[in-house]
Amino acid sequence: MRVDPPLLLAPMEDVTALPMRLIAKRIGRPGLMFTEFVSAMAVHHGAKKTLKKLWVDPLERPLGIQIFGGEPDVMVETARLCEEAGADLIDINMGCWVPKVCKTGSGAALLKDPDRAEEIVRAVARAVRVPVTVKVRAGWDWSLFAAPELALRFQDAGAQMITLHARFAKQGFEGEADWRLICEMRKAVRVPLIGNGDVKSPEDARRMIDETGCDGVMVGRAAISNPWGLRSIRCGLTGEPDPGPPALAERVEVALEHARAMVEYERRADPTSDAAQVEARAIRALRGQLPMYIKGETGAAAVRQRITLCDSVSELEDILLGFAGQARN
């Protein structure tokens, strides 16, 4: 698989659902995107809420489905289902620090059990035909920089790319990412290495590549409700002209597009439920993202609460189109 441009959209729970990815692909055009985290155990038990995360649209490819779990056999089962669903690669999450994930022995907890971590990578790599990749943190805490040793083990077990979020699991998202950790891993592995952490601009992306020698950059939080930020970073990496930031009208239009697509996504997942309830659930799922589309505009703070409390597309249209109209006047 060729990832071009060397810009990746990070897997983010409750963010990188199918509607968001299609918008990111159309406007930002990253070289590779990832789904939300997919619980292997939830897939094993047939959880509808999780199974919809496996939906792949041809327009968003190449696409990686990221899975997490602590049991090799369950991870293998889920990886095969992801491959059947159309995943272009399977990414194994060993970076999520959230307690409800780590307490199951999954995510970043595997950094403390390198033998089990290697066993999972080897089992999944043998089970599927598509590439298998791994996303890791630098280690569990500052007492042990485990990433280079683990990356070598994963490489030998069949991983074809490693992504390093240059923070320790215990940090969460606190503090600054230490890109020197990416440099150290670059010296250790021969497979492609992707750097992740605090890339917010084209300058950040180019500097990360130049300073660390990584093969590409992964962008996470800076892309939330901001596909134009991805576009700007892509242009910085490829030399394309950057159209610049969007006007308020375009941001409002895309926010509404996102909301409408989310409603259809939820209806497809739950076609027999009451339509109004499904619509309300879809809009509420975006309550943290929709206000960010107008962040920084004069008067945006005053309508933020109205946006987060609305539960229908028509109400959201009244709020956002009314706000855009007031801003024009």
Side-chain angles (χ1 to χ4, degrees):
M1 180 191 303
R2 180 173 175 80
V3 178
D4 186 23
L7 170 63
L8 292 73
L9 175 64
M12 291 179 281
E13 184 65 2
D14 298 325
V15 175
T16 52
L18 178 59
M20 183 273 195
R21 297 195 307 266
L22 288 173
I23 290 172
K25 188 69 172 182
R26 176 171 61 81
I27 297 175
R29 299 198 341 251
L32 178 63
M33 302 191 297
F34 291 87
T35 62
E36 301 173 84
F37 315 151
V38 174
S39 165
M41 192 59 71
V43 171
H44 176 72
H45 289 296
K48 289 172 59 177
K49 185 178 179 181
T50 300
L51 290 174
K52 71 182 180 183
K53 295 179 181 180
L54 306 188
W55 295 345
V56 177
D57 189 298
L59 294 176
E60 60 177 333
R61 302 179 74 170
L63 180 74
I65 296 183
Q66 188 186 75
I67 64 176
F68 71 88
E71 301 296 329
D73 56 339
V74 178
M75 290 286 278
V76 163
E77 174 191 35
T78 298
R80 286 172 172 158
L81 289 173
C82 293
E83 183 177 34
E84 292 173 9
D88 295 295
L89 64 81
I90 309 297
D91 190 63
I92 299 174
N93 180 314
M94 294 192 191
C96 182
W97 51 273
V98 176
K100 70 177 182 180
V101 171
C102 289
K103 72 180 182 181
T104 67
S106 307
L110 286 167
L111 301 175
K112 298 186 289 184
D113 190 351
D115 291 340
R116 172 59 63 93
E118 180 182 350
E119 181 184 2
I120 287 172
V121 174
R122 191 176 303 278
V124 172
R126 287 176 173 173
V128 296
R129 295 180 298 276
V130 296
V132 172
T133 63
V134 185
K135 186 171 189 282
V136 299
R137 290 273 181 141
W140 181 254
D141 58 30
W142 295 267
S143 67
L144 178 63
F145 177 32
E149 177 187 347
L150 284 170
L152 280 171
R153 295 180 68 163
F154 298 158
Q155 174 182 273
D156 293 342
Q160 296 188 40
M161 183 179 77
I162 307 288
T163 299
L164 175 62
H165 184 148
R167 287 182 174 90
F168 292 88
K170 280 290 207 177
Q171 286 181 264
F173 292 114
E174 297 298 322
E176 293 185 356
D178 187 349
W179 293 358
R180 293 173 299 177
L181 304 175
I182 302 172
C183 293
E184 292 304 311
M185 184 180 279
R186 174 72 287 171
K187 297 172 187 176
V189 296
R190 63 179 181 275
V191 297
L193 174 63
I194 305 301
N196 178 215
D198 295 346
V199 174
K200 304 172 185 176
S201 68
E203 294 75 22
D204 292 337
R206 176 51 59 191
R207 186 165 59 86
M208 176 182 275
I209 291 174
D210 290 344
E211 291 183 6
T212 71
C214 65
D215 299 285
V217 298
M218 178 175 283
V219 176
R221 289 173 292 164
I224 298 175
S225 302
N226 186 24
W228 306 278
L230 280 176
R231 180 177 69 186
S232 182
I233 293 172
R234 185 197 79 235
C235 290
L237 291 174
T238 63
E240 302 171 57
D242 184 355
L248 174 60
E250 182 180 354
R251 283 188 278 155
V252 166
E253 179 184 346
V254 173
L256 292 172
E257 175 190 352
H258 193 170
R260 295 179 189 118
M262 194 67 174
V263 171
E264 293 307 312
Y265 176 69
E266 292 292 344
R267 281 179 181 158
R268 176 183 167 191
D270 193 7
T272 61
S273 289
D274 177 78
Q277 292 180 356
V278 172
E279 181 171 349
R281 184 167 66 243
I283 299 301
R284 285 196 296 266
L286 296 177
R287 62 183 179 270
Q289 297 173 60
L290 293 171
M292 295 178 67
Y293 278 103
I294 60 169
K295 183 178 179 181
E297 287 289 330
T298 302
V303 300
R304 182 182 302 122
Q305 186 173 12
R306 293 178 60 204
I307 294 173
T308 58
L309 291 176
C310 79
D311 56 10
S312 71
V313 172
S314 61
E315 186 179 356
L316 181 66
E317 288 173 342
D318 289 343
I319 294 169
L320 286 177
L321 293 175
F323 174 71
Q326 290 172 1
R328 283 197 300 271
N329 294 332

